Amino acid sequence: MNRPYVIIVSEVSVDGKLTLYRGASSKELMTLMDQEAYRYLHEIRAKVDGIMVGCETVRTDNPSLTVRYVQGKNPVRVIPCSTANVPLDANIFSKDAPTLIVTTKRAPEEKLEKIRETGAEVWVVGEDLVDFDALMPMLLERGINSLMVEGGASINWEFIKRGFVDEIRLIHLPVIVGGENVPTLVGGEGFKKLRNLMHLRLRAHFKRGHHLITEWEVVR
């Protein structure tokens, strides 16, 4: 397997939503998580070599992607962004952990220079879109043997459609959000045919604090 071991981790409402509406920050829904649920999330962060979110998540949520609720090392922050359109004052550029911006030939060179000035690494991987097929072996070479993907929906689909996922771990929020265009766990065009679906095996289910946690393995 010429790629890191990949775990998608997310909080989801009972109806599978990630946010309150399209364009909203997932941090709003995450305020419903109790301390134990946060601890569970950060325990995973402390065990992986890398953590990834898309640049839309960076712009909307401004996450730090560091380990806070438990003891442990901070993973390398990996941000795929085809035009390098990330704010230079974003929390991902803090000195707490290494940051790697993965972009394409579409990104303006002057923006890449400014990103490098923050201390972050910049990789150009792809012409118009980030080439995830090329990226994964590069991450492995960089020493990232395990990668936690925290979304959002588009990034989750990029990994799932390529079969690059080994586990999915969900923190279930006991609420219904509703709404037709609200982001769900996985976005993209979808598999559309029964024979193409990704199949999962339930490995564990338990409660942390007030939350049901389910852990799924991808069936090969």
Side-chain angles (χ1 to χ4, degrees):
M1 185 169 70
N2 196 22
R3 63 169 177 80
Y5 187 88
V6 173
I7 309 168
I8 288 179
V9 183
S10 185
E11 85 292 339
V12 288
S13 66
V14 170
D15 54 336
K17 302 291 197 288
L18 301 184
T19 63
L20 292 174
Y21 55 87
R22 183 168 293 283
S25 169
S26 63
K27 283 186 172 179
E28 288 187 84
L29 267 188
M30 288 178 78
T31 60
L32 300 175
M33 284 167 48
D34 60 25
Q35 196 85 354
E36 280 301 310
Y38 271 109
R39 195 169 285 128
Y40 171 78
L41 182 72
H42 285 250
E43 281 168 3
I44 304 170
R45 285 186 183 180
K47 286 176 183 166
V48 295
D49 302 314
I51 184 169
M52 179 183 287
V53 299
C55 54
E56 187 60 40
T57 300
V58 171
R59 289 193 295 267
T60 308
D61 293 2
N62 194 20
S64 297
L65 305 180
T66 52
V67 175
R68 297 187 298 283
Y69 288 80
V70 296
Q71 291 290 312
K73 64 172 176 52
N74 289 322
V76 177
R77 299 175 287 206
V78 184
I79 314 297
C81 194
S82 54
T83 59
N85 182 18
V86 285
L88 294 168
D89 60 352
N91 290 333
I92 54 155
F93 293 122
S94 71
K95 305 301 182 199
D96 306 309
T99 299
L100 170 55
I101 303 294
V102 184
T103 189
T104 70
K105 291 180 179 172
R106 282 202 297 149
E109 187 54 46
E110 61 188 56
K111 181 64 184 276
L112 300 187
E113 273 310 308
K114 286 179 178 168
I115 289 172
R116 288 187 187 102
E117 283 167 17
T118 69
E121 285 179 71
V122 175
W123 289 1
V124 177
V125 188
E127 295 286 331
D128 296 321
L129 298 171
V130 171
D131 184 344
F132 285 94
D133 297 293
L135 173 63
M136 297 303 270
M138 291 170 69
L139 290 176
L140 202 58
E141 216 168 283
R142 170 70 170 69
I144 297 173
N145 295 301
S146 53
L147 181 68
M148 175 181 184
V149 177
E150 281 199 41
S154 300
I155 289 288
N156 290 347
W157 171 247
E158 291 297 331
F159 276 77
I160 283 170
K161 75 177 179 183
R162 289 175 171 84
F164 286 171
V165 179
D166 300 287
E167 289 183 46
I168 297 175
R169 301 185 188 182
L170 302 176
I171 301 166
H172 297 268
L173 304 176
V175 293
I176 300 282
V177 173
E180 282 185 22
N181 298 312
V182 182
T184 57
L185 180 64
V186 183
E189 62 267 28
F191 286 119
K192 293 188 171 65
K193 293 187 176 172
L194 205 56
R195 68 172 181 270
N196 296 340
L197 301 182
M198 172 176 275
H199 288 259
L200 306 172
R201 183 187 300 112
L202 182 63
R203 188 185 64 195
H205 62 285
F206 49 88
K207 278 182 80 175
R208 285 292 292 265
H210 294 100
H211 298 278
L212 171 67
I213 308 285
T214 56
E215 297 185 343
W216 305 84
E217 291 174 347
V218 173
V219 177
R220 301 291 179 202

